[in-house]
Amino acid sequence: MATLPAPSPASTPVAGSAISSWSVNAQKDGGPRGGGRKGPRRPTWNVRPFFENKARAFWTLQAAGWGGYLLLRGVTAISNGFRLEVIIPIIVEAIVGYCITLILSACYNYYRRLPRFAEVFLALGTLAAATFFYASLVAFAYSFMRSGVPGITVTGIAGAVFLTFVMLASWSALYYAINFYLVVEDQLAEMRALELQASSAQLAMLRYQLNPHFLFNTLNSISTLVLLKQTERANAMLSRLSSFLRYTLANEPTAHVTVAQEVETLKLYLEIEKMRFESRLRTAFEIDPRAERAMLPSLLLQPLIENAIKYAVTPQEEGADIALRVRFAGDRVQIAVSDTGPGLNEARISPSLSTGVGLANIRERLVQAYGPDHRFETRSTPAGGFSVEIEIPFQLNDLNKEAA
């Protein structure tokens, strides 16, 4: 107990007894307290694990506090000469103080459920009564050992009141301080849990925004093929659409997948789109083998390919080339999706052809997944062409699971 002050012959140490307990709740619910999910590490000293089991922490502090008080008081007394009339009252003080603080913890715990004014009034009254009772017992013990005649005098009580009051008041203050700390920690844990739930819900919402946007275009193409009586192509597109949806629905909305898995998903998607655009849609993949195991949010790149098709392939009769490049650079993964379309011309900035869900969705998902530890940039050239560059930290599957 680093906060226990060394006693002196002229004063009675109080901090040792003060830290000996904080709540009778420990006697009622000894189970572990919820700590919430892992959040950002704080540089402050974290004593929370000690209080995970409240019963164990309560009795540990109670025993350590009063045991330390007895030891230090005893050493002080022995250093001035071993005398029973000094040692025995010190033992009585420690035992009585130990019992009184147990009673105080039970009373304070009950008062904490009352209105604030009633709690303060009853706590002060109980502290005053405990101080007087403690001082009376200490005075009785000293009178019995020193004079051999047991008795309680006003002088003896007055001499012990100040010391017992400081001791019990310090113990009470520390009781409320530790309870306040635990309440604040519980509230912070609840806030972190709620933030995690909100973040997960937002990620799921962002992920689910993609499917209706993509399904609308695909089903519209299938409907067109049916109207043109091209049933074989319509059936093939439906089959590929079912494969793509089976993959996307098999993964959790907040799941992370490897770059290799994301590329395979994009190829499923592009097989569907190639049935719409045929030779007008030309694709190229350049994937660094070292980056294939890197983790990234599921379906992160699909809206980029979709936007490239919408703004590069669709408005041009000759179509466009779309390239996906993934490179491994140190502890970072660099991803680039580029096209040979018109770039940021009037077609792309037209309100009727806005990027809609796509780019905004990507930005939000990157913020949710990596916070500030990412880069998202868009580029275009006057001659035409548009590219999106993403840089994220290199994470493997084990690291991602630990972060989740």
Side-chain angles (χ1 to χ4, degrees):
M1 307 297 292
T3 57
L4 288 173
S8 62
S11 64
T12 303
V14 298
S17 61
I19 64 173
S20 60
S21 171
W22 80 96
S23 173
V24 77
N25 276 335
Q27 305 170 41
K28 295 184 178 181
D29 54 3
R33 306 171 69 98
R37 78 168 181 100
K38 294 181 180 179
R41 292 184 178 180
R42 293 178 293 176
T44 56
W45 177 48
N46 183 18
V47 298
R48 182 69 184 186
F50 177 76
F51 295 103
E52 290 294 336
N53 188 322
K54 294 191 294 182
R56 181 183 61 191
F58 175 86
W59 294 113
T60 299
L61 288 177
Q62 186 77 346
W66 287 106
Y69 168 77
L70 177 60
L71 178 64
L72 294 176
R73 288 277 288 158
V75 169
T76 302
I78 293 175
S79 65
N80 295 327
F82 184 83
R83 293 178 299 171
L84 288 178
E85 61 269 19
V86 175
I87 298 299
I88 292 180
I90 293 175
I91 297 176
V92 172
E93 282 183 37
I95 294 175
V96 172
Y98 182 92
C99 296
I100 289 179
T101 50
L102 288 179
I103 298 174
L104 283 178
S105 66
C107 294
Y108 290 161
N109 177 67
Y110 174 77
Y111 297 157
R112 291 175 62 227
R113 290 174 288 202
L114 300 177
R116 184 65 61 191
F117 177 80
E119 177 187 2
V120 173
F121 179 79
L122 290 175
L124 292 177
T126 303
L127 176 61
T131 298
F132 179 79
F133 179 71
Y134 194 9
S136 300
L137 291 180
V138 170
F140 179 83
Y142 274 98
S143 66
F144 181 79
M145 294 305 301
R146 290 178 178 177
S147 63
V149 179
I152 300 176
T153 62
V154 175
T155 304
I157 294 178
V161 160
F162 176 76
L163 297 179
T164 55
F165 171 77
V166 171
M167 183 183 299
L168 296 182
S170 300
W171 183 93
S172 301
L174 197 54
Y175 164 89
Y176 278 103
I178 295 179
N179 269 283
F180 178 77
Y181 163 78
L182 294 178
V183 169
V184 170
E185 283 291 308
D186 284 340
Q187 292 176 348
L188 290 176
E190 292 177 2
M191 289 178 61
R192 286 191 290 266
L194 291 175
E195 289 175 357
L196 176 62
Q197 293 176 5
S199 178
S200 299
Q202 185 173 1
L203 282 174
M205 178 191 68
L206 293 171
R207 160 70 184 278
Y208 285 136
Q209 284 179 345
L210 304 178
N211 293 338
H213 193 57
F214 161 66
L215 283 175
F216 175 81
N217 293 331
T218 305
L219 293 177
N220 186 54
S221 298
I222 294 173
S223 176
T224 301
L225 291 174
V226 172
L227 290 175
L228 295 176
K229 300 186 183 302
Q230 298 182 16
T231 55
E232 292 185 2
R233 294 185 64 191
N235 287 334
M237 185 174 284
L238 278 174
S239 176
R240 293 172 181 177
L241 175 62
S242 65
S243 298
F244 177 77
L245 293 180
R246 187 179 301 112
Y247 173 84
T248 59
L249 295 176
N251 292 326
E252 291 292 330
T254 58
H256 283 56
V257 298
T258 64
V259 168
Q261 291 172 319
E262 184 76 357
V263 170
E264 290 301 316
T265 307
L266 292 178
K267 289 181 179 179
L268 284 175
Y269 169 74
L270 286 170
E271 286 180 2
I272 299 172
E273 296 292 13
K274 282 183 179 179
M275 295 196 66
R276 294 174 56 201
F277 298 99
E278 297 179 338
S279 61
R280 295 172 60 203
L281 173 58
R282 301 175 293 275
T283 60
F285 292 86
E286 184 181 327
I287 312 299
D288 189 335
R290 297 174 298 173
E292 290 184 344
R293 295 186 300 132
M295 307 298 294
L296 76 168
S298 175
L299 286 181
L300 179 72
L301 305 181
Q302 187 268 345
L304 297 180
I305 301 295
E306 183 176 358
N307 275 335
I309 293 174
K310 181 177 181 181
Y311 298 111
V313 179
T314 302
Q316 299 187 119
E317 184 177 353
E318 71 277 12
D321 297 324
I322 298 177
L324 170 65
R325 296 178 177 83
V326 181
R327 295 188 302 172
F328 178 75
D331 60 347
R332 313 289 291 180
V333 177
Q334 297 174 347
I335 304 170
V337 177
S338 60
D339 61 64
T340 58
L344 283 178
N345 58 15
E346 57 184 18
R348 183 158 262 179
I349 64 176
S350 172
S352 62
L353 292 174
S354 67
T355 55
V357 169
L359 296 183
N361 184 290
I362 296 297
R363 289 190 183 96
E364 289 295 329
R365 295 187 70 191
L366 288 172
V367 169
Q368 290 292 326
Y370 304 106
D373 191 20
H374 76 278
R375 180 173 62 88
F376 180 90
E377 295 180 356
T378 58
R379 300 177 183 272
S380 63
T381 60
F386 183 81
S387 66
V388 176
E389 297 180 1
I390 297 174
E391 184 176 284
I392 58 176
F394 179 77
Q395 294 179 344
L396 296 177
N397 191 29
D398 294 339
L399 296 177
N400 181 68
K401 288 182 179 180
E402 181 180 349

